Amino acid sequence: MTSRNPATRSRKTVNRQQPGRLRGIDAARGLALLGMMATHLLPTFESNASLTPTWIGLTFSGRAAALFAVLAGVGLALSTGKNKPLEGAELSAARRGVALRALVIAAVGLTLGGLEVNVAIILVHYAVLFLCVLPFLGLDVKRLCAWATGWILGSPVLAYLLRPWLLAAEPPLKLGHNPGWEDLGTPSRLLADVFFTGYYPVVQWLSYLLVGLAIGRLVLTKALVPVLLLVGGTVAAVLAKTLGVAAMEDWGGRAALEKVLDSPGYPLGSLLQVNLAGLPQEGSWWWLASAAPHSGTPLDLLHTSAVAAAVIGACLLLGRLAEWVDLDLLLPLRGPGAMTLTLYTVHVWVVASFYLKPLPAGWTEDGVYFAHAAIAIVVGIVFARLLWRGPLEWVGHAASQVGRGGFKALS
């Protein structure tokens, strides 16, 4: 009878996880979720006349959501052939699965859109991004890198040219709220908002999924790949942000934009550091030279994509370290990261429940955030330990399986 090594048995117990999942990718997704929660619940600006940025705004604004989108591309790559894309009938089946999964996400997003909440809900845009990326699922890493580069450079220019025309329509082709089921009745406004004029413009944000697909097509289990992602991402992120700041502060960009805005005393400098989504970026090509969060410029897309790559590389390296020391270091992040759709949905619903209401006695904004984060982590750990999918993840997976192989695939 073959003897069993206790160390081997311990390692197998610690390393229990759903087949095909990379711990580092789930951990990065968990980090993105916690970062997005922070921007929803904690102030990104101080409440003063100059709108001084907080450390939350400087750290997470624009970066957390971009990481979430890049990881969507990574996940699609891992589910459609990893470093070697699928072909022929298998690729067609995978595309059907992704499309049906996108419909599930869209349905959840449209339902959440009916809530009164001061949160820019990403799910409808996220679902449309899944549909838009379908033609790229069969590409290898070299062609994906070329497409991602071209999209980062070209899509902001296209948006800059078309956005003023869309906003000049009567009424303007912009929703001004999260997409909901009722907006299906005005498809032109809905499509314009989702693709160009909304908070997460799909035309520019497709760059993130293309970057994620390219990352996912790499052999992420090789020791050198996470190091390259971490180092290369860090260098590119610093370079992009440095160029953006220089363009605004040293080369005359901010002064030119302040003239366009014609609002003396307007804290443009603070918005350039934290969030440019609320400003009409028109009237000057200098808008395209900033690296401001949520500006959708080439430098913004490059910076946030590079930050995402660096975070993914760091999480993959921590995953390898966890295997080496035989300790599940990433469990507090990878647990919630494996069920982000469910946890994000519950988080938005809870935030909506307290919208425009005073905080409960004894609670602070920090306390509310840490409560949301702690519950997400605990629930995620429990589901990860039990090898359960989140409820909405189960529905999305079922839809994907039906798309890939019909109802028999569920059995």
Side-chain angles (χ1 to χ4, degrees), residues 25 27-41 44 55-72 120 122 126 199-200 205 208-209 273-275 293-294 300 303-309 311-312 340 344 347 369:
I25 299 302
R29 197 177 288 113
L31 190 60
L33 175 68
L34 296 179
M36 292 176 75
M37 285 181 175
T39 61
H40 296 164
L41 295 171
T44 54
W55 74 269
I56 292 292
L58 293 173
T59 304
F60 295 112
S61 183
R63 297 186 181 97
L67 174 60
F68 197 57
V70 170
L71 286 163
I122 196 173
Y126 194 64
Y199 199 81
Y200 305 106
W205 277 60
Y208 294 132
L209 267 77
Q273 294 181 69
V274 175
N275 194 334
H294 289 294
D300 172 37
H303 172 76
T304 46
S305 295
V307 169
V311 170
I312 291 169
T340 50
Y344 179 90
H347 160 73
Y369 169 71

Side-chain angles (χ1 to χ4, degrees), residues 85-96 138:
L86 300 175
E87 298 177 350
E90 288 184 324
L91 178 59
S92 297
R95 283 172 171 158
R96 290 194 301 271

Side-chain angles (χ1 to χ4, degrees), residues 39-126:
T39 61
H40 296 164
L41 295 171
L42 299 173
T44 54
F45 295 100
E46 300 286 356
S47 55
N48 52 34
S50 59
L51 292 180
T52 306
T54 64
W55 74 269
I56 292 292
L58 293 173
T59 304
F60 295 112
S61 183
R63 297 186 181 97
L67 174 60
F68 197 57
V70 170
L71 286 163
V74 175
L76 289 175
L78 296 177
S79 67
T80 57
K82 296 185 180 180
N83 56 302
K84 185 178 180 182
L86 300 175
E87 298 177 350
E90 288 184 324
L91 178 59
S92 297
R95 283 172 171 158
R96 290 194 301 271
V98 171
L100 285 185
R101 184 180 167 203
L103 293 180
V104 170
I105 296 171
V108 175
L110 290 170
T111 302
L112 290 179
L115 300 175
E116 244 187 285
V117 61
N118 189 29
V119 170
I121 301 172
I122 196 173
L123 294 183
V124 173
H125 305 79
Y126 194 64

Side-chain angles (χ1 to χ4, degrees), residues 189-211:
R189 288 182 65 202
L190 176 60
L191 290 173
D193 188 276
V194 167
F195 280 92
F196 288 102
T197 62
Y199 199 81
Y200 305 106
V202 164
V203 166
Q204 288 129 292
W205 277 60
L206 184 57
S207 304
Y208 294 132
L209 267 77
L210 293 173
V211 169

